[in-house]
Amino acid sequence: IYNTGSGGIVLSGGNKEKLVAGNNYVRNCRVHDYQRRNRSQWAGISVDGCGNRIDHCEIYNGDLQAIMVNGPLHAFEYNHIHHVGLNANDASAWYMGRDPSDRGTIIRYNFCHHVGRHDRKWMMGVYFDDGTCGALVEGNVFYNVGTYGSVYSNGGQDIIIRNNIFIRSKGPAVQQKSMWWDFAAHNWDYY
């Protein structure tokens, strides 16, 4: 799938409220050059719903995210993601954010390299944004990824990061921070 205007694949299914898996998958696909018209908010693969899977895919040559995720219990394994986040800031190869109930996602055995540009401050490989919780990042290889963390958590909890390999990171290999603390630190007297 290539030379599309606004993203490559949108996959959804399952019931988040009842935690019923959709069991839909994207497998053995190559997705590239997927933002010809809309260069932001459109990923190579967007996943929603509950319990879906992306595996053995190659995603590359994108201005923003390769994978954008909503919903719990998704699995991402054996993917090759590279040369994404080429024209962005505050972006990543893999993004999930703003809903702490989207738990149980697994990111395992992927190869991620050449993500972001050296001149951008906030570029990540795996980006758990705004309180994302309950995910596993395991057995991945990150090479030349991110300026703000190859794996970055912005205020979440119960995120397990284990047995990954980080090579030539542009910034920290792992950064877990509490944005709620950082943003309010100068106003403690007021609160």
Side-chain angles (χ1 to χ4, degrees), residues 6 14 16 22 28 35-36 38 40 51 58 73 77 87 89-90 106 119 140 147-148 154 156 158 160 168 173 177 181:
S6 302
K16 177 181 172 178
N28 295 320
Q35 296 169 321
R36 286 183 25 207
N38 295 315
S40 66
E58 181 180 14
L73 304 173
E77 296 180 328
N87 192 27
N89 196 25
D90 196 17
I106 297 170
D119 63 339
N140 301 285
T147 57
Y148 208 62
N154 194 13
D158 299 327
I160 298 168
R168 295 187 65 194
K177 97 182 246 232
W181 173 273

Side-chain angles (χ1 to χ4, degrees), residues 1 5 12 24 43 54 61 103-104 114 137 143 166:
I1 298 172
S12 186
N24 297 309
I54 308 296
N61 204 22
R103 303 176 69 88
H114 294 92
V137 180
Y143 172 74
F166 301 95

Side-chain angles (χ1 to χ4, degrees), residues 86-160:
L86 300 177
N87 192 27
N89 196 25
D90 196 17
S92 60
W94 189 98
Y95 179 88
M96 183 174 191
R98 299 194 173 89
D99 190 341
S101 71
D102 288 350
R103 303 176 69 88
T105 290
I106 297 170
I107 304 165
R108 185 168 41 204
Y109 313 135
N110 302 286
F111 178 38
C112 188
H113 64 92
H114 294 92
V115 174
R117 293 175 19 188
H118 291 280
D119 63 339
R120 302 299 166 105
K121 180 180 179 183
W122 291 335
M123 294 302 303
M124 288 69 73
V126 174
Y127 188 174
F128 297 113
D129 200 8
D130 295 340
T132 299
C133 298
L136 172 65
V137 180
E138 178 179 47
N140 301 285
V141 175
F142 297 95
Y143 172 74
N144 199 15
V145 171
T147 57
Y148 208 62
S150 294
V151 177
Y152 174 71
S153 172
N154 194 13
Q157 62 189 28
D158 299 327
I159 295 172
I160 298 168

